[in-house]
Amino acid sequence: EIETPQIATLFYNISGPSLKLNNEFLNDVTLNIYNISGQLIYYSNVNSLQLISLSELTKFSTGTYVYKITSGKHTQTGKFSIY
């Protein structure tokens, strides 16, 4: 079985959820964030940032969101919550 490399790791700190990008994927990264209904609410090309604070990107309402990160042929998805 071939293991797909992780583009980022989701973690929570005092300011809310953040994504830490894997050093291998610091260039040409696209971040999409969707609300729980599947509507795209945020889109960005991320260039060489190692840490992305999801709660500071926009003024998200409390709730659960889905992120999709794409770098070349690799894609990673996950969920996070804003309290």
Side-chain angles (χ1 to χ4, degrees), residues 11-38:
F11 68 93
Y12 288 82
N13 60 25
I14 211 160
S15 65
S18 296
L19 287 169
K20 180 169 177 31
L21 294 179
N22 181 332
N23 288 337
E24 219 178 301
F25 297 101
L26 289 182
N27 296 315
D28 192 31
V29 175
T30 302
L31 172 63
N32 294 334
I33 298 178
Y34 304 88
N35 65 18
I36 202 69
S37 300

Side-chain angles (χ1 to χ4, degrees), residues 58-70:
T58 62
K59 302 297 181 204
F60 293 135
S61 301
T62 58
T64 301
Y65 297 88
V66 175
Y67 67 87
K68 178 180 177 183
I69 302 175
T70 305

